[in-house]
Amino acid sequence: MARAIVHTELGSPDVLRLVEVPDPVAGPGEVVVRIEAAGVNPIDAKQRSGIRPLPPIVEPRRVGFDGAGVITQLGDGVTGLGVGDRVAIHDTRGTYATALAVPVRNLARLSDGVTTAEGASIGIPAGTAYQSLRSLHVRKGDTLLVHAGSGAVGQAAVQFAVLWGARVVATASPERHDQVRALGGIPVAYGDGLIDRVREAAPDGVTVALDCAGTDEAIRTSLELVADRERIATIVRGPDAADFGIRAFSGGSPVPLTDEEKGWRSEAVPLTINLIEAGDFQVELGPELPLAEAAHAHELIEQHAAYGKIVLVP
Ligand SMILES: NC(=O)c1ccc[n+]([C@@H]2O[C@H](COP(=O)([O-])OP(=O)(O)OC[C@H]3O[C@@H](n4cnc5c(N)ncnc54)[C@H](OP(=O)(O)O)[C@@H]3O)[C@@H](O)[C@H]2O)c1
């Protein structure tokens, strides 16, 4: 039997349970991956608690979208991958588990220079950052403001934008400024006086903004500093982004991602693996917890009580 984290009701982290589940079988176009690490993302906790509503739970709901591990079984029609290959998994429900059947379109091969924990930390953070910056047409000559630049998505956004030649100002708490600086961003503290601090850090102005914080302050600051509202986006305030006249990419937005945007999210995974391998992109890793401690991982992420990406290890 495999083991997986499930929940049958919405609620606090203690609704998560580790249970035995049938061993997965690879269907056509799928492989079975023995999971060695699952990345923990805020959306996992939001869906568990019901903050981001889903259709009612009709059978035990599996958790987790990002992961990494080793292929143990190939389904019909799978070519170009083999048993024993290391892969990163993205956009596949149920990665908090010991094994999972995954469509090959949701896999990217992991190179030797990329650790399993790094591989499990790429899908949602790098995918969201890359797609958001592509959608906002971030390019050389831009000055980008990233709210929550010290978080997983924010750090990815800082790095992509710097690689593309933009100047990046990123908000973070003061103890996280060195981390933002190490990635090439100009850190500013969030909180009272943010607008003045950003103006000081970017005297020539801000041309584009990405909100990964979701606070009123972040929205207000972007509206004040960026002239073109088409170049302001949030990944958190989807439900009310339209009220501010700004864009939203998921995050509860009633407007779904376009096929092109979904394509960018997938494309980001192998691209990020290559950047890590080349030493041009960093993933900040946080605590590694046993799979059985998924509830504790959710407490940590909800309370912002750990720096770096938390991964669960079966
Ligand atoms: N729409 C989408 O598709 C999508 C995809 C991924 C994530 N998200 C959402 O985006 C958000 C960030 O995700 P993540 O994975 O990057 O989270 P994370 O790694 O847990 O980072 C959280 C960040 O929030 C910052 N923060 C905390 N309080 C803040 C405040 N008052 N003002 C400004 N920043 C504050 C933290 O900064 P310090 O640590 O420096 O204090 C940290 O950088 C979450 O709400 C998540 O659900 C949406």
Side-chain angles (χ1 to χ4, degrees), residues 34-45:
R34 185 181 72 238
I35 307 245
E36 295 185 336
V40 177
N41 288 290
I43 189 64
D44 306 341

Side-chain angles (χ1 to χ4, degrees), residues 5 133 141 156 306 312:
I5 296 289
L133 300 190
L312 294 170

Side-chain angles (χ1 to χ4, degrees), residues 40-43 46 52 124-125 128 131 147-155 171-176 190-191 211-213 215 217-218 234-236 249-252 257 265 301 304 306-309:
V40 177
N41 288 290
I43 189 64
K46 290 178 180 180
R52 282 280 181 265
I124 287 183
T128 306
Q131 171 267 311
H147 297 281
S150 51
V153 182
Q155 289 193 35
T171 72
S173 51
E175 57 270 33
R176 302 289 282 149
Y190 54 77
D211 165 39
C212 309
T215 57
E217 173 188 72
T234 179
I235 60 163
V236 186
F249 306 124
S250 303
L257 295 177
R265 288 195 177 204
I301 204 158
H304 296 298
Y307 294 147
K309 176 58 67 185

